[in-house]
Amino acid sequence: AGTLIGLNTAESADIPEYIEVYVESGDTLWGLAQTHGPKNVDKRKIIYEVSKINNLSGDYIYPGEVLKFPVYE
C-alpha cells in the first residue's frame, strides 16, 4: 500500500497539515484511507477530504501519483 513520502508541518493552527502518499500499483482510495487515516474516522469522510484536497474527479488513482492526506489530531 502507498509509501509515505513526507510530513508537511504547519506553523499556524489555520494551516492544515498533510502527509504525502505515493500511490503504488493496486492501491485504492479506500485502502489508503484505511492505512493512512485514523481508525476512529469514517473512511468515507477521509476519501471525500482526500478527493477534495487533491482535486480528484472520480475514484481512480494511478501508480506514481502523490496524494496529500490530512493529518487528524
Side-chain angles (χ1 to χ4, degrees):
T3 303
L4 186 64
I5 293 180
L7 175 66
N8 296 324
T9 57
E11 294 186 19
S12 165
D14 297 333
I15 301 171
E17 295 183 2
Y18 302 97
I19 56 170
E20 292 181 334
V21 177
Y22 180 82
V23 178
E24 297 177 357
S25 181
D27 283 345
T28 63
L29 282 174
W30 186 267
L32 292 175
Q34 287 182 304
T35 302
H36 300 288
K39 305 302 178 222
N40 61 338
V41 175
D42 188 327
K43 302 308 173 239
R44 292 169 292 190
K45 178 180 179 188
I46 298 168
I47 291 168
Y48 171 79
E49 290 182 9
V50 168
S51 295
K52 196 165 112 175
I53 293 165
N54 294 282
N55 297 315
L56 300 178
S57 59
D59 295 336
Y60 297 104
I61 56 174
Y62 302 95
E65 279 187 288
V66 176
L67 299 177
K68 291 181 181 177
F69 273 69
V71 174
Y72 296 88
E73 305 224 358

